């Protein structure tokens, strides 16, 4: 099992099996993000796509998601859209 010091969680955890995104950002994620943090991002990304009614096949959507991913893992964080109310458990 490969471990990384996860930048999102702040501790050593199981790393990803492969770079989940192309290019330099994918390499940074592979080297610095755990499986658990990636799973949390995937849930956040799904919320962003649904709430903003984005089409993942559009280049502009991929650019938006790449920028949000950068902020989520390596910046100030990615926020929910204005007015978003999380479903109650």
């Amino acid at each position: 099992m490969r471990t990384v010091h996860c930048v999102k969680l702040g501790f050593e955890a199981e790393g990803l099996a492969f770079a989940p995104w192309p290019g330099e950002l994918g390499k940074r994620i592979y080297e610095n993000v755990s499986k658990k943090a990636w799973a949390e991002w995937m849930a956040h990304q799904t919320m962003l796509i649904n709430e903003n009614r984005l089409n993942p096949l559009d280049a502009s959507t991929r650019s938006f998601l790449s920028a949000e991913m950068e902020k989520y893992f390596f910046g100030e964080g990615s926020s929910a859209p204005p007015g978003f109310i999380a479903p109650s458990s």
Side-chain angles (χ1 to χ4, degrees):
M1 175 179 75
R2 185 178 152 276
T3 62
V4 297
H5 183 81
C6 182
V7 295
K8 187 70 176 173
L9 302 178
F11 55 82
E12 291 287 320
E14 184 176 355
L16 297 165
F18 56 89
W21 195 259
E24 187 60 34
L25 179 57
K27 182 180 177 190
R28 286 178 64 205
I29 290 169
Y30 176 75
E31 293 171 351
N32 298 289
V33 174
S34 67
K35 279 186 174 182
K36 181 178 184 332
W38 181 254
E40 291 171 2
W41 159 253
M42 293 301 292
H44 184 77
Q45 176 182 257
T46 299
M47 180 273 303
L48 290 172
I49 290 169
N50 291 341
E51 292 298 314
N52 292 305
R53 293 177 171 77
L54 301 174
N55 178 352
L57 300 177
D58 287 344
S60 60
T61 295
R62 290 192 303 275
S63 292
F64 169 76
L65 292 174
S66 181
E68 289 299 306
M69 195 182 310
E70 176 81 31
K71 289 191 300 188
Y72 185 85
F73 290 117
F74 305 109
E76 69 275 8
S78 174
S79 300
F84 174 73
I85 300 170
S88 56
S89 301

